[in-house]
Amino acid sequence: MNNLSCATKVVDMPEFHEHPNVRTAVRYHQAVSRFAAGEELAAFFHPDAVHTQLPNALFPDGTVRHLPDLIAAAQQGHMLLAEQHFEVINAVAAGDQVALEVTWSGTLAVPLGDLTAGQVLRTHIAAFLEFRDGKIIAQRDYDCYERLRPAASNETGRQAENGKNSP
């Protein structure tokens, strides 16, 4: 395994490490994986940074956060999740722009809506980061969550898919 552990795996593509902004993007995802907060997380961002999360299963209206809200959201995420893992599958850099293909999984520490503590959420992410002075000034995430099913209805859903009636 390479030296980029911390719950973030980079698929074996050495060219990831050639561009300084890609290295920063990978280190950022490592920090988020271990629930970095406060100054540690802020160190990756330009003070004028904006993070945009496009509409998805958990945030149907999407979100737009400036740095203070981004830091607060990271702390809130740590209260919701027991653990999380990012895998950087692909990265492309041109100038001050980085595009990442990432998979994420997170284990709920507490119930969330119809979901129970212990359930694992998974999403496939296209992340576009813009850098200024070596720091992230803008991030846009397109999160494609795998189907979210309440734990109690998983068996019912499988039976329905197989054409069986539930009791």
Side-chain angles (χ1 to χ4, degrees):
M1 180 149 188
N2 61 35
N3 63 352
L4 297 175
S5 55
C6 296
T8 300
K9 176 181 176 186
V10 178
V11 177
D12 191 23
M13 293 182 167
E15 64 272 13
F16 277 5
H17 309 290
E18 294 177 8
H19 196 285
N21 291 339
V22 170
R23 286 193 300 266
T24 299
V26 170
R27 284 193 332 268
Y28 160 60
H29 280 84
Q30 289 174 329
V32 173
S33 286
R34 64 177 187 277
F35 298 106
E39 290 181 23
E40 181 184 6
L41 186 58
F44 290 97
F45 290 93
H46 187 280
D48 298 328
V50 176
H51 178 267
T52 303
Q53 191 171 25
L54 282 292
N56 60 63
L58 291 184
F59 298 96
D61 296 323
T63 62
V64 177
R65 295 182 176 113
H66 295 274
L67 188 54
D69 295 329
L70 179 63
I71 301 301
Q75 291 171 332
Q76 182 182 20
H78 184 52
M79 294 186 318
L80 294 174
L81 297 170
E83 63 183 6
Q84 63 181 344
H85 171 81
F86 288 89
E87 181 177 351
V88 177
I89 296 171
N90 199 357
V92 178
D96 290 332
Q97 305 282 326
V98 172
L100 299 174
E101 178 183 5
V102 179
T103 58
W104 172 85
S105 62
T107 304
L108 289 174
V110 297
L112 180 66
D114 291 338
L115 306 174
T116 61
Q119 280 191 264
V120 177
L121 307 178
R122 290 183 176 83
T123 188
H124 307 272
I125 304 166
F128 297 88
L129 293 86
E130 182 181 338
F131 287 78
R132 183 182 301 159
D133 302 324
K135 305 228 182 223
I136 301 166
I137 183 77
Q139 179 177 348
R140 288 180 321 283
D141 288 342
Y142 297 80
D143 299 343
C144 299
Y145 279 86
E146 292 182 4
R147 186 179 303 265
L148 302 175
R149 290 194 178 135
S153 71
N154 282 347
E155 185 58 35
T156 303
R158 272 186 251 133
Q159 289 176 350
E161 288 172 5
N162 293 329
K164 299 177 184 175
N165 293 328
S166 57

